[in-house]
Amino acid sequence: MSYPVQRLRRLRGSDTLRRMVRETRLHRDDLILPLFVVEGSGVREPVASMPGVSRFSVDQVVDEAKRVYDVGVPAVILFGIPEAKDARGTGADAADGIVQRAVGAIKSEVEGLCVITDVCLCEYTDHGHCGIVEGERIVNDPSVQRIASSALSHARAGADMVAPSDMMDGRVAAIREVLDGHDFSDVPILAYAAKFASAYYGPFRDAAESTPQFGDRRAYQMDPPNRREALREMRLDLEEGADVLMVKPALPYLDILADARREFDVPLAAYHVSGEYAMIHAAAERGWIDGERAMEEALVSIKRAGADWILTYAAADLAAKLG
Ligand SMILES: [Zn+2]
């Protein structure tokens, strides 16, 4: 049976009907807000390429965390920008490192908020790569040791969940082992499992001061055209003990997300990254699109493709709007 018996417009006729047949809904509980933490006190420094996003000192990030939890965002993910960087990324696993102090402060002040930490070396290394460098090579296994050590230091500081973003082979297994060996078997791992070498990370690198000083990240992050390989990456991370899998970026990789939704039973996260966020704001500032609607449409598409969690810089604004 088709037209004229079937008329799909019948269920689109009013806002109420559209609400009743809506298949996908954004909810506050889907949202995770990334936060950048810097040294100092009283610092709230806007990031030029990311309207509405700031870098906070530890005292200020506590207030911001409180504010976003109060509007209903259940979780934040922390990125640290240390004062000093070196070749081995010493600050990444320092007990008094920037992220470790921020976790401690937020956990003691904002009860109930889930504090996730991004685990990587790139914000802490003077060369800006996500691992240990020998010559021009980023060497896998020594990097994994440093990354696992960072995850442990975050757990010791009180992190509710750790999220390795480096894309080294074997890091999830190494993190699981070191956490379990130190009485942190309850701390889940959110693995940046399919993270692509993307042009959309530009504004983040300004915010996190993590631009590689030589070369690029294509020798460890994934090549954008590869779909089957993304499933292999995710399957391996699951086998190594990941609790949640992430696809990053989100919009250019919705097919990967949909594949993962069919393939795996675990919660899936997607990172709507800085460039995706910045493009919407830039076009809206020029009056070329309705920024608020475009943002919501982008985020609902990520959920429709299969994500349970969305990491987005729009989390607090959207949560406030969703009520
Ligand atoms: Zn990194």
Side-chain angles (χ1 to χ4, degrees):
M1 257 192 304
S2 63
Y3 174 84
V5 176
Q6 301 276 358
R7 288 176 185 265
L8 296 185
R9 288 184 54 190
R10 279 187 199 118
L11 294 177
R12 291 178 202 148
S14 72
D15 189 51
T16 304
L17 272 176
R18 290 191 293 273
R19 267 170 56 204
M20 291 166 69
V21 298
R22 196 156 288 154
E23 299 173 32
T24 309
R25 284 183 175 80
L26 288 169
H27 191 276
R28 296 182 301 185
D29 292 345
D30 308 330
L31 305 172
I32 298 173
L33 179 71
L35 289 173
F36 300 103
V37 196
V38 295
E39 293 288 355
S41 70
V43 180
R44 280 178 173 255
E45 207 173 56
V47 178
S49 52
M50 300 166 73
V53 176
S54 293
R55 312 198 307 177
F56 301 95
S57 51
V58 171
D59 57 320
Q60 297 294 309
V61 86
V62 170
D63 293 347
E64 182 65 1
K66 218 177 278 173
R67 183 184 77 82
V68 305
Y69 188 62
D70 286 345
V71 295
V73 176
V76 296
I77 179 163
L78 302 183
F79 296 87
I81 299 109
E83 218 146 43
K85 305 185 183 216
D86 57 34
R88 290 178 51 77
T90 304
D93 60 348
D96 62 348
I98 182 77
V99 158
Q100 291 80 355
R101 276 180 286 133
V103 169
I106 295 172
K107 286 307 295 176
S108 63
E109 299 282 327
V110 193
E111 207 194 319
L113 180 70
C114 175
V115 179
I116 306 168
T117 55
D118 179 87
V119 179
C120 199
L121 300 183
C122 52
E123 291 117 11
Y124 304 91
T125 51
D126 50 12
H127 46 70
H129 277 288
C130 303
I132 300 298
V133 169
E134 279 175 15
E136 297 262 297
R137 277 177 62 234
I138 289 78
V139 288
N140 194 85
D141 299 7
S143 303
V144 166
Q145 281 182 16
R146 297 283 305 126
I147 287 154
S149 171
S150 305
L152 176 61
S153 76
H154 293 178
R156 282 184 169 138
D160 294 301
M161 194 179 306
V162 293
S165 60
D166 52 281
M167 289 301 281
M168 300 299 141
D169 290 326
R171 80 274 164 77
V172 172
I175 291 172
R176 189 68 274 160
E177 191 184 337
V178 78
L179 290 179
D180 291 357
H182 291 82
D183 218 14
F184 293 111
S185 55
D186 289 340
V187 174
I189 299 173
L190 162 58
Y192 286 69
K195 180 179 179 180
F196 290 86
S198 172
Y200 290 90
Y201 302 148
F204 174 93
R205 289 178 187 170
D206 292 344
E209 297 171 11
S210 60
T211 306
Q213 297 304 300
F214 68 88
D216 53 41
R217 298 195 169 114
R218 290 170 210 238
Y220 42 105
Q221 295 179 352
M222 282 191 61
D223 198 22
N226 290 2
R227 186 171 177 174
R228 294 189 305 258
E229 188 191 354
L231 285 177
R232 285 188 75 194
E233 280 285 5
M234 290 190 268
R235 196 170 295 120
L236 283 174
D237 279 4
L238 263 188
E239 286 167 9
E240 288 180 27
D243 298 279
V244 185
L245 298 174
M246 193 200 297
V247 174
K248 180 184 179 185
L251 292 186
Y253 300 93
L254 294 182
D255 56 331
I256 309 292
L257 204 49
D259 284 353
R261 182 68 297 159
R262 276 191 296 274
E263 193 79 10
F264 307 115
D265 295 327
V266 294
L268 293 176
Y271 201 140
H272 184 242
V273 303
S274 59
E276 300 177 73
Y277 175 86
M279 285 195 309
I280 291 174
H281 276 279
E285 271 169 28
R286 293 187 168 204
W288 290 350
I289 58 171
D290 177 335
E292 214 172 299
R293 278 189 58 201
M295 190 69 75
E296 231 176 291
E297 187 175 333
L299 297 177
V300 87
S301 78
I302 296 167
K303 190 163 178 192
R304 191 187 62 231
D308 300 291
W309 298 350
I310 305 170
L311 288 77
T312 171
Y313 301 96
D317 291 348
L318 184 64
K321 195 176 149 191
L322 290 172

